[in-house]
Amino acid sequence: YTGTSRVPIVQAYDRATGRVRWATDVSAGRGWAFSADVVGAAVSGDTVYATVMRNLNRLGGERTGVLVALARADGRELWRYE
């Protein structure tokens, strides 16, 4: 499980083939005005927990943390704490 910068996408890979199994944009539909970065991902049972640093201004001088729980099987969002 990895994450991206600028547009915060969490990705799951197939260990055997290296192909992306699913990818979830954790900012989709949130109305975030500025970029964000996935800074970490951890797995427990059937859940992937992603930590995201969200920029609150254009230059990134103000940031806030977001914790998102995703279903391990398909990447759908289970809950978030913002």
Side-chain angles (χ1 to χ4, degrees), residues 10-31:
V10 179
Q11 299 170 321
Y13 292 89
D14 183 292
R15 287 174 40 178
T17 66
R19 293 185 180 172
V20 174
R21 288 183 33 229
W22 54 258
T24 300
D25 180 348
V26 296
S27 69
R30 295 284 166 182

Side-chain angles (χ1 to χ4, degrees), residues 1 9-12 21-28 30 42 45-50 67-80:
Y1 301 91
I9 297 173
V10 179
Q11 299 170 321
R21 288 183 33 229
W22 54 258
T24 300
D25 180 348
V26 296
S27 69
R30 295 284 166 182
D46 292 332
T47 306
V48 177
Y49 299 93
L67 177 63
V68 183
L70 305 170
R72 188 175 184 180
D74 58 11
R76 71 187 152 76
E77 185 173 318
L78 301 173
W79 55 262
R80 74 173 47 223

